[in-house]
Every structure is written in C-alpha cells, then in structure tokens.
Amino acid sequence: MQFTDLDCKLSREMVENVETDLGISFPESLKDLFVNFNGGVPDPYVFQNFDLNTVVNETLPLISTQNRGTALYSYQLLVLERQIVNKNYFPFAVDAGGDYFFVDCDTADARVYFYLSDAGEERRGLLDLELTLNEFWDHLEPEE
C-alpha cells in the first residue's frame, strides 16, 4: 500500500497521548496507520464490494500541521458532539462525497465500517464492510 501527500510524522507516544485524552484504545493496526502514514491519499483508492462502490479520497491525519481536517476533529464532531455512531468508532478516512470510514476500536482486529449519510432512510447509517483494517487496504483497487 502506498500513500501520497502525507501530513506530519507522528510518534507512537503522540498517538497514545491522543488515546489517553479521549479515553479510547486504538487497535494496533490503527496506531500503525497513524504512525506510518499520518493522513494522505492511498494508491490504489477504489473500494467496491457487494453493497458499496466508492473511493477513499484521503485517510485522515490524526494530527495535522497542514491545516487539514483531522481524524481527531472528526471524532469530536461526529462521535462526541453529533453522536452519529457509538464512542468506540473512530474515523480514519473519508470518501469523495464526505462520508466516513470508521474502525471499531472495541475489536482487536479493527473491523471497518462505512457511514452512509446521504443514502435513503432505509440505508442511512453504518454499513459493516466485513473487513479488518489490514484487509481493507488489500481490498482497494486502481481506478479503471
């Protein structure tokens, strides 16, 4: 997996400080994402499965020095303030339409979910992608 347009480099200690501040424990694969690739554009970036066809527009930096939207800000807004999902879900990426990919931090293998905000009433909400975070990256394909 390759990422371009990365944000500032983070240490494991910086990531763990955010966990402590929020009172949440990130799965190891999510910590690794923030330490190794803090934000950026994945290549490949197209996600398709039985129920969803979208792109991963960017992964969210946990902390940014480039005036970008962050995973931390998105968590505070979407999870703590608007309460669109439970507190154990942490956003790590966004699609081109502004919908978010979340990791379930209560699962050691970091199960991935997608939040559909602009679908019809019957489909709006969390969609279980039935993948772990590590499997998610392997599932991305190049644009045709």
Side-chain angles (χ1 to χ4, degrees), residues 101-112:
F101 293 89
F102 288 86
V103 164
D104 181 353
C105 293
D106 281 351
T107 58
D109 61 355
R111 268 184 93 88
V112 176

Side-chain angles (χ1 to χ4, degrees), residues 61-131:
L62 183 62
I63 300 167
S64 177
T65 58
Q66 300 178 11
N67 241 2
R68 295 163 73 175
T70 65
L72 181 56
Y73 173 77
S74 298
Y75 181 79
Q76 291 167 333
L77 177 67
L78 301 172
V79 179
L80 299 180
E81 196 174 302
R82 294 188 185 161
Q83 301 178 358
I84 67 166
V85 295
N86 292 333
K87 291 181 181 180
N88 55 298
Y89 292 97
F90 197 84
F92 71 93
V94 64
D95 79 348
D99 286 328
Y100 289 82
F101 293 89
F102 288 86
V103 164
D104 181 353
C105 293
D106 281 351
T107 58
D109 61 355
R111 268 184 93 88
V112 176
Y113 293 80
F114 184 72
Y115 188 83
L116 290 164
S117 65
D118 57 357
E121 272 305 311
E122 70 282 351
R123 287 200 49 191
R124 186 172 299 143
L126 275 181
L127 175 65
D128 184 350
L129 299 184
E130 299 179 9
L131 298 167

Side-chain angles (χ1 to χ4, degrees), residues 52-64:
L52 182 65
N53 181 6
T54 191
V55 299
V56 180
N57 196 52
E58 70 172 327
T59 60
L60 298 167
L62 183 62
I63 300 167
S64 177

Side-chain angles (χ1 to χ4, degrees), residues 42-58:
D43 183 25
Y45 61 90
V46 176
F47 182 87
Q48 290 181 311
N49 73 0
F50 57 91
D51 206 26
L52 182 65
N53 181 6
T54 191
V55 299
V56 180
N57 196 52
E58 70 172 327

